[in-house]
Amino acid sequence: MKEFFHRKIERNAIGFVVAIVAVASIGGFMEIAPLFTIQETVEEVPDMRTYTPLELAGRNIYIREGCYACHSQMIRTLRDEVERYGPYSLAVESKYDHPMLWGSKRTGPDLARIGEKYSDAWHVAHLINPRDVVPESVMPKYGWLMRNELRIEDLGEHLAAQQTVGVPYTQAMVENAVQDARGQASPDSNAAAGVAERYGEATHVRAFDGDPSRLTEMDALVAYLQILGKLTDKAYQQAATAEAE
Amino acid sequence: MVSQLTTSERQYALVTLLLLGLGGLAMAAMGRGDPIAVHGYIVLLFAIGLSFVVMAGYYAPEPDKDRLSRYYDDPTRVGIVLSIAWAVVGMFVGVWVAALLAWPDLTFDQAWASFGRLRPVHTSGVIFGFGGNALIATSFHVLQRTTRARLPGQFAPWFVLLGYNLFCVVAASGYLIGVTQSKEYAEPEWYADIWLVLVWVTYFLIYLRTLARRKEPHIYVANWYYMAFILVVAMLHIVNNIAVPISWSSAKSYSVYSGVQDAMVQWWYGHNAVAFFLTAGFLGMMYYYLPKRAGRPIFSYRLSIISFWGITFFYMWAGSHHLHYTALPQWVQTLGMTFSIMLLVPSWASAGNALATLNGAWHKVRDDATLRFMMVAAVFYGLSTFEGSFMAIRPVNSLSHYTDWTVGHVHAGALGWVAMITFGSIYALVPWMWKREAMYSSRLIEVHFWLALSGTIVYVFAMWNSGIIQGLMWRTYNESGSLTYSFIDSLVAMHPYYIARAFGGLLFLLGAIVAAYNVWMTIRQSKLEAAQGKEDADIPLFARDAVQAGE
Amino acid sequence: MELEKRDRVTGRTTTGHEWNGIEELETPIPRVVFFFLGATVLFSLICWVLYPTWPLGSTFTKGVTGFDQRNLVTEQVAKADAERASAWAGKVETMSFAEIEADPALMQPVKEAGRTLFVDNCAVCHGVSATGGPGFPNLTSKSWLWGGEPEAIEETIKVGINSTNDDTRVSQMMAFGRDGVLAPEQISNVVTYVRSLSGAEGDAAKIEAGKEVFAANCVACHGDNAKGSHDVGAPDLTDHFWIYGGDVNSVYTSVYSGRQGHMPHWDARLSPLQVKLLTVYVHTLDGAPQ
Ligand code: HEM
Ligand code: HEM
Ligand SMILES: [Ca+2]
Ligand SMILES: [Ca+2]
Ligand SMILES: [Cu+2]
């Protein structure tokens, strides 16, 4: 009977195509669609903030350089990872990550909670030549980050596209994107105040690459690294409540 | 080759190239200062270069009607050559990337040569460049032979093959200049993604139209797999790559998905790219060239049916095994784990079906390195699917994930299965395509076989060792209950294995270079002898008549 | 309708079709395939019953065990904490530094835990064997910026130096050249003098002149005899240990442009116990490579 049926379908190209598409669609549909409908998939967190334009630019450099090929940003729910890297990652922490950068290989350590772990100066030295500070390292040198001026004129377009895909940037953020990127890396400039105003007092406003007069790709990347794991405090709060219990 | 096109096909080609060139020009002009402009120039050059080729042959006489009684194999020939070229390039970059992890300063301070930019050149180069071209080339060949129908037109196959290679070039060059979406195995940016959709839809239509013209009542198993490969890859590609460009004149786009949903979509794509690109497509290849070379019937038709539908159904659920213990809800992980386990049955059924087909031909396996390539491929296919199902079990994955064990598994599949079945099939196909009795040198095939096998074994064992050591070091606790090793300790422990892996990869690369030489010499000989007027005299079976069996 | 054909090797019939010479045998599916299919399906069914699995619109089946990876890891970490506490860590928390260091049995786990913590968190700056590097002090030198008592070390680790912590230790080496406090000649002299304190050769006249510059400008922080000050985190300039290097250029840069090292604070990232373990670990480093 089954044989017979298959013999039939083997003789009908269109039927075969339809059958393949039908059989192959079920799995993905069952696994992906509910992630949008089940509320608890992504935690509700009031203090979750978006990336500033500078941090977003840094994130794009992280993508461009392929750092995700060696670094994960996802602390799994395993004892050793929690003890080594900090509280396990929550879904909400990458809620505004288009695309996510969880990674699949740890040639280098996890970076999900690297924010504020080390100093800006260390990151700069490390990115220029990792082996200057960590002789054992196999990470590439990224000296050009310090040489390249950061491209910022299109940051407004970046934020607008992010808005389109659902990141809650305000119109003011989009309009001031270029200025905010400058301001965040030159703390004494006039532009600096607007950053804290739009993105919150806790935003890091510093000369990330050590030179407030130039806005380099290094500024952006370090600003991004320093915010990793810091967009919301939820994971640490959860860990603290668990400990209290 | 242009001389085989009809005048109207030559005109199609020129119009298409004109449109493509204009597209490239627009990208170059609008994207000033943006990397998209570089891609504009590449597209423009590509279009101009091909236009010259078409123009050069434009006034050649039209092909005779006689051609319709033969199969159309020109795209297959070119596809084979492109596939081998990409193999050498992709694997060379693989060896380089491997060496970077042992000697990190081999980047010479060049941005384009840093690990993160070269790695996707390797993965795309071998999977899409080498594997994809081999799949397109063989699928056109197999499709015609098993349907006894000629491809429906002569322009569309070229559009698919060359358009696809344009995609590969744009992809690989993009990574070097920093254009990437970072979605693993789907890194190319939005405009390359859209272009691939056009190419792929054409590919599908060619397949469907040829099947519609077939003179065999039943569709052969190889075509089931090739069709599943084309269809599902289209589904995956389109869904995974939906993104919003920041403007029409910028290379940059943002994926519509984010966070946990994006993770699931990406690994639904990523895992099934393995399933339908690296598995289904190559199973299609195996289902033709292995029985053909062995001269044996397929062991069991019924086993083919359950393996095919089992693979098609189960695979699509398994992607979440890439996300065990992450912020992906656990229910999806359970689904991914259990379907991966069930998936082992149809996978082994396919491997078993292939090996049992060799019953009665084992003496050929012993003597014929070409067939031995295919046999070993089936064995590695069985091995890597077993390993994959094992690694999909949550507690096992807690150890293997993020480590070199995954890389070892990948290359057991990629070197042992994908590359071996491809080389075996190419060695079988090249003499048929260039009207030779055999490859230029069977000794060199033998040499290649042993280089490939030993390279694979060195590579895979090195990575199993390093991966398991790495995973264990990360989670080892000493008696006092604190972590014994730091991350840097594990990094230092990897060094010897990274050297071993680079060496194993080098062996494999040398094998590929030997193959390139052997194919090249076979082609040259074919031309030489054609020039000497010996054409076809003692060469068996080039299908003069499309209804003839034999290739 | 199709002719029955038989394969000579196996004696089985073929399906009767042939594609360019390829045929297929009608071999029945081996039993073992069904057996394994059954086994894997059974395994899956058991998993589906036990664990969260099937999506149901806005919720999902929770599984009869109520198992949840997040709860599990939280429990495991808590349990491990408790086990360590009762085995040895509890003592570390309550005992004084002197008592801990006097207890060899206790020092064993403290050093083990301390080393991994140190290499995972501190080694990128201070080096795997804590010997420092350009810009990052050697912690085995016994030449302390803020004092070598465990309490001082513990405080430094907790609040950091020039860090983002509210209670951070603050220190700064002024930029005497850039800010125009000293003339280049004066700087050059004081550099020669400072280097001579640790035995470097130098022009006697310059040293004399430098000594005066030093007395006028530097003693406030580095002390009368240049032995440094733990109150402002100013380094001892008479020993052989340099944070930024003791060659002329480095010392000149230190004086000309000033320095402000940044040591992160760890009270948010590490627990008080972990900070204490690190304190003991750092305090008992003996200077020999690890
Ligand atoms: C000459 C032989 C080869 C060498 C030396 C080589 C080397 C490498 C290296 C060093 C990596 C990066 C691993 C890491 O990040 O730690 C890699 C990744 C990869 N290679 Fe190869 N490779 C070779 C051949 C191939 C072939 C023939 C294929 C496919 C047909 C392939 C597919 C892949 C894939 C899919 C990855 C990504 C793995 C992952 O993300 O887990 N490789 N290869
Ligand atoms: C039954 C079949 C298979 C199953 C269940 C399976 C399962 C898995 C699992 C569990 C992982 C590790 C995911 C992680 O921890 O990150 C993985 C990775 C991978 N497998 Fe397989 N595998 C199968 C067959 C194959 C085959 C035949 C290939 C052919 C080349 C292959 C290629 C890959 C690749 C490229 C990756 C790396 C993905 C990445 O992280 O970039 N797999 N597979
Ligand atoms: Ca990967
Ligand atoms: Ca893409
Ligand atoms: Cu997978």
Side-chain angles (χ1 to χ4, degrees):
Chain A
M1 180 59 210
K2 176 174 153 263
E3 288 278 283
F4 176 61
F5 171 72
H6 206 272
R7 287 272 150 111
K8 238 173 146 172
I9 192 158
E10 273 171 44
R11 283 209 292 265
N12 178 346
I14 301 278
F16 214 102
V17 166
V18 173
I20 290 175
V21 172
V23 169
S25 299
I26 304 169
F29 183 79
M30 287 290 281
E31 292 185 351
I32 296 169
L35 295 178
F36 292 93
T37 60
I38 299 177
Q39 283 301 309
E40 65 191 90
T41 301
V42 182
E43 301 80 3
E44 292 284 338
V45 174
D47 72 340
M48 178 70 187
R49 83 153 166 86
T50 57
Y51 295 108
T52 64
L54 187 66
E55 290 155 7
L56 185 68
R59 188 169 195 275
N60 289 335
I61 293 169
Y62 186 94
I63 289 175
R64 181 187 83 190
E65 300 301 341
C67 310
Y68 60 86
C70 288
H71 293 285
S72 57
Q73 289 186 18
M74 172 48 61
I75 301 169
R76 295 181 293 167
T77 50
L78 295 169
R79 177 184 158 202
D80 56 301
E81 300 211 352
V82 171
E83 291 190 352
R84 194 184 304 276
Y85 297 113
Y88 54 79
S89 299
L90 302 177
V92 66
E93 293 180 276
S94 45
K95 181 179 172 184
Y96 298 140
D97 285 9
H98 295 262
M100 61 86 191
L101 294 172
W102 294 5
S104 64
K105 180 77 213 307
R106 266 189 202 148
T107 304
D110 188 275
L111 298 181
R113 309 218 171 281
I114 198 74
E116 297 287 270
K117 186 177 181 190
Y118 305 138
S119 60
D120 298 343
W122 181 84
H123 281 296
V124 172
H126 182 246
L127 286 164
I128 289 175
N129 182 3
R131 278 159 294 289
D132 277 352
V133 282
V134 185
E136 301 81 3
S137 183
V138 298
M139 177 163 144
K141 298 176 183 171
Y142 292 99
W144 58 90
L145 298 176
M146 200 68 193
R147 298 194 289 268
N148 293 357
E149 295 280 339
L150 182 68
R151 182 174 170 201
I152 52 173
E153 70 276 5
D154 59 358
L155 275 174
E157 290 171 5
H158 282 260
L159 261 62
Q162 290 260 316
Q163 256 184 342
T164 315
V165 295
V167 183
Y169 283 112
T170 62
Q171 223 35 50
M173 289 171 170
V174 175
E175 280 155 22
N176 291 291
V178 174
Q179 194 190 339
D180 286 349
R182 273 199 196 292
Q184 196 181 352
S186 43
D188 299 326
S189 70
N190 297 334
V195 181
E197 190 187 303
R198 277 180 283 279
Y199 294 91
E201 287 302 325
T203 313
H204 309 138
V205 180
R206 309 195 285 248
F208 295 94
D209 68 357
D211 180 356
S213 66
R214 286 179 71 220
L215 185 59
T216 60
E217 294 187 339
M218 185 67 87
D219 276 312
L221 184 57
V222 173
Y224 170 64
L225 291 172
Q226 294 290 33
I227 197 67
L228 281 177
K230 296 272 167 196
L231 292 173
T232 161
D233 215 21
K234 176 81 173 173
Y236 282 100
Q237 283 165 12
Q238 256 189 13
T241 1
E243 197 150 312
E245 273 162 12
Chain B
M1 265 164 280
V2 179
S3 61
Q4 286 300 308
L5 302 184
T6 62
T7 305
S8 63
E9 280 165 343
R10 292 174 202 174
Q11 284 161 355
Y12 279 145
L14 285 178
V15 170
T16 310
L17 288 170
L18 181 70
L19 291 177
L20 184 68
L22 287 177
L25 199 60
M27 282 161 73
M30 283 165 60
R32 253 174 297 148
D34 191 277
I36 198 174
V38 177
H39 276 156
Y41 288 117
I42 290 180
V43 171
L44 186 61
L45 274 178
F46 184 88
I48 293 176
L50 276 182
S51 308
F52 274 118
V53 175
V54 178
M55 291 301 283
Y58 190 80
Y59 293 106
E62 283 228 350
D64 51 14
K65 274 265 180 289
D66 214 25
R67 72 177 192 282
L68 295 178
S69 62
R70 289 189 304 257
Y71 297 127
Y72 188 46
D73 287 330
D74 283 351
T76 301
R77 289 192 194 95
V78 174
I80 294 170
V81 173
L82 286 169
S83 170
I84 294 201
W86 277 105
V88 173
V89 173
M91 291 183 203
F92 171 75
V93 179
V95 175
W96 188 355
V97 164
L100 280 175
L101 291 185
W103 303 284
D105 286 328
L106 290 175
T107 60
F108 315 109
D109 257 346
Q110 296 296 307
W112 59 267
S114 75
F115 183 91
R117 295 198 190 184
L118 279 184
R119 189 187 195 267
V121 176
H122 163 62
T123 53
S124 294
V126 287
I127 298 178
F128 299 122
F130 166 54
N133 274 303
L135 287 172
I136 294 176
T138 57
S139 69
F140 286 157
H141 175 255
V142 171
L143 175 64
Q144 297 182 86
R145 300 317 186 272
T146 54
T147 55
R148 284 194 294 148
R150 186 182 157 91
L151 294 178
Q154 301 176 121
F155 169 67
W158 287 114
F159 177 72
V160 171
L161 182 73
L162 299 176
Y164 179 78
N165 278 277
L166 177 61
F167 167 80
C168 293
V169 168
V170 167
S173 60
Y175 311 146
L176 296 177
I177 57 174
V179 176
T180 168
Q181 280 178 323
S182 83
K183 295 193 148 204
E184 266 191 86
Y185 313 116
E187 291 94 345
E189 269 291 358
W190 60 276
Y191 46 95
D193 288 339
I194 293 176
W195 173 250
L196 186 63
V197 172
L198 293 180
V199 168
W200 216 251
V201 169
T202 314
Y203 189 17
F204 172 64
L205 290 178
I206 293 178
Y207 229 85
L208 208 59
R209 288 184 59 202
T210 313
L211 284 175
R213 296 150 48 105
R214 74 185 182 279
K215 297 185 194 70
E216 295 286 357
H218 290 266
I219 302 174
Y220 179 55
V221 195
N223 290 324
W224 311 351
Y225 279 107
Y226 278 126
M227 224 152 55
F229 147 65
I230 297 170
L231 281 169
V232 179
V233 166
M235 270 166 58
L236 298 168
H237 174 75
I238 291 171
V239 173
N240 184 42
N241 280 304
I242 302 176
V244 177
I246 67 162
S247 83
W248 295 115
S249 56
S250 168
K252 178 72 191 167
S253 69
Y254 289 102
S255 165
V256 295
Y257 313 105
S258 71
V260 61
Q261 289 92 2
D262 184 46
M264 188 59 234
V265 171
Q266 279 199 37
W267 284 112
W268 168 78
Y269 167 91
H271 173 76
N272 292 301
V274 164
F276 289 87
F277 208 103
L278 295 180
T279 300
F282 292 90
L283 281 171
M285 205 186 270
M286 182 183 82
Y287 260 102
Y288 185 82
Y289 296 98
L290 183 131
K292 205 73 207 163
R293 186 81 184 183
R296 295 287 306 144
I298 295 291
F299 167 69
S300 167
Y301 161 69
R302 296 166 201 227
L303 206 50
S304 302
I305 296 179
I306 69 154
S307 352
F308 176 77
W309 291 106
I311 284 177
T312 306
F313 181 65
F314 289 148
Y315 249 117
M316 299 300 286
W317 295 76
S320 46
H321 63 215
H322 293 261
L323 298 166
H324 282 330
Y325 298 94
T326 65
L328 180 77
Q330 202 185 334
W331 63 264
V332 205
Q333 302 176 25
T334 313
L335 283 175
M337 171 172 91
T338 49
F339 276 88
S340 304
I341 301 281
M342 294 188 280
L343 176 58
L344 181 59
V345 179
S347 300
W348 270 28
S350 321
N353 210 1
L355 291 173
T357 297
L358 293 172
N359 278 340
W362 287 101
H363 59 286
K364 291 193 190 166
V365 174
R366 191 192 56 211
D367 299 335
D368 176 11
T370 301
L371 190 57
R372 216 177 313 126
F373 263 112
M374 302 190 209
M375 186 278 287
V376 171
V379 171
F380 270 103
Y381 175 63
L383 185 115
S384 56
T385 50
F386 175 77
E387 184 185 28
S389 296
F390 184 61
M391 288 165 67
I393 301 172
R394 272 172 38 100
V396 180
N397 194 264
S398 73
L399 180 77
S400 70
H401 187 60
Y402 290 144
T403 72
D404 288 324
W405 186 353
T406 305
V407 177
H409 160 71
V410 170
H411 289 85
L415 303 177
W417 157 238
V418 172
M420 297 258 199
I421 192 72
T422 305
F423 285 126
S425 302
I426 286 181
Y427 284 135
L429 181 55
V430 163
W432 292 334
M433 287 289 99
W434 275 276
K435 309 179 191 179
R436 301 284 310 158
E437 203 150 349
M439 289 293 299
Y440 164 71
S441 161
S442 59
R443 284 273 299 282
L444 286 180
I445 303 183
E446 197 66 45
V447 170
H448 179 191
F449 176 80
W450 290 109
L451 280 172
L453 186 62
S454 51
T456 307
I457 288 173
V458 172
Y459 191 123
V460 172
F461 272 90
M463 289 297 98
W464 278 339
N465 269 299
S466 69
I468 291 171
I469 291 174
Q470 207 173 27
L472 288 175
M473 283 178 88
W474 291 346
R475 60 159 60 172
T476 299
Y477 281 90
N478 51 35
E479 274 171 31
S480 54
S482 38
L483 289 163
T484 308
Y485 302 103
S486 67
F487 186 88
I488 294 182
D489 294 334
S490 73
L491 182 63
V492 171
M494 293 306 100
H495 190 66
Y497 302 105
Y498 285 164
I499 294 176
R501 184 253 304 268
F503 175 69
L506 183 65
L507 294 181
F508 204 90
L509 169 67
L510 289 176
I513 293 173
V514 169
Y517 175 73
N518 206 352
V519 168
W520 178 246
M521 291 307 287
T522 313
I523 296 174
R524 257 188 56 165
Q525 256 189 352
S526 157
K527 285 200 182 130
L528 284 178
E529 278 159 43
Q532 287 155 12
K534 284 208 284 185
E535 191 183 13
D536 280 22
D538 52 356
I539 296 161
L541 295 180
F542 179 62
R544 238 159 245 308
D545 164 1
V547 186
Q548 187 84 59
E551 286 177 27
Chain C
M1 55 177 185
E2 285 140 354
L3 280 184
E4 191 179 87
K5 279 171 78 180
R6 271 185 196 281
D7 169 45
R8 270 170 295 126
V9 179
T10 54
R12 294 211 184 271
T13 53
T14 70
T15 56
H17 302 290
E18 184 243 277
W19 294 270
N20 203 30
I22 301 177
E23 291 174 302
E24 295 170 314
L25 299 180
E26 280 283 16
T27 317
I29 297 169
R31 279 276 178 76
V32 56
V33 174
F34 292 110
F35 172 78
F36 277 115
L37 197 58
T40 56
V41 169
L42 186 68
F43 172 85
S44 302
L45 284 172
I46 295 173
C47 288
W48 297 344
V49 171
L50 293 181
Y51 306 119
T53 307
W54 287 99
L56 309 163
S58 60
T59 181
F60 53 88
T61 62
K62 301 281 183 329
V64 297
T65 54
F67 183 89
D68 176 82
Q69 57 178 15
R70 295 184 168 184
N71 296 340
L72 183 74
V73 69
T74 309
E75 278 162 30
Q76 283 174 343
V77 170
K79 183 159 158 277
D81 278 345
E83 273 171 16
R84 275 191 301 247
S86 65
W88 55 272
K91 287 197 230 159
V92 174
E93 275 175 318
T94 52
M95 282 161 65
S96 75
F97 289 110
E99 287 167 338
I100 297 170
E101 288 176 19
D103 182 345
L106 191 54
M107 278 305 282
Q108 158 87 7
V110 168
K111 287 209 146 181
E112 282 173 359
R115 178 182 180 278
T116 305
L117 277 174
F118 187 85
V119 181
D120 272 339
N121 294 291
C122 323
V124 297
C125 294
H126 296 287
V128 170
S129 24
T131 47
F136 304 104
N138 181 336
L139 302 178
T140 66
S141 67
K142 307 285 174 215
S143 165
W144 299 98
L145 295 165
W146 296 92
E149 315 75 41
E151 290 75 11
I153 296 175
E154 186 178 37
E155 176 73 4
T156 307
I157 300 174
K158 255 194 210 144
V159 302
I161 304 169
N162 301 318
S163 76
T164 49
N165 192 290
D166 290 339
D167 303 320
T168 180
R169 291 191 188 281
V170 179
S171 74
Q172 185 168 22
M173 163 72 195
M174 293 160 60
F176 287 91
R178 202 178 56 215
D179 294 348
V181 181
L182 295 178
E185 180 61 26
Q186 289 174 299
I187 296 181
S188 165
N189 292 342
V190 81
V191 165
T192 317
Y193 168 69
V194 166
R195 293 184 69 249
S196 75
L197 295 173
S198 49
E201 306 271 309
D203 181 71
K206 290 191 84 161
I207 293 179
E208 247 344 277
K211 189 170 181 176
E212 272 167 37
V213 179
F214 194 85
N217 294 281
C218 317
V219 291
C221 295
H222 291 280
D224 291 337
N225 45 12
K227 281 281 187 194
S229 158
H230 294 170
D231 298 331
V232 295
D236 182 343
L237 301 175
T238 65
D239 56 24
H240 292 275
F241 296 105
W242 298 93
I243 303 175
Y244 301 97
D247 57 297
V248 178
N249 272 340
S250 304
V251 178
Y252 191 91
T253 309
S254 293
V255 182
Y256 185 89
S257 314
R259 299 284 190 188
Q260 188 165 29
H262 176 136
M263 153 84 183
H265 66 102
W266 297 87
D267 57 351
R269 193 175 287 271
L270 301 178
S271 69
L273 171 68
Q274 288 173 314
V275 171
K276 197 163 183 186
L277 290 169
L278 279 166
T279 306
V280 177
Y281 179 78
V282 169
H283 185 241
T284 54
L285 284 167
D286 50 13
Q290 302 288 297

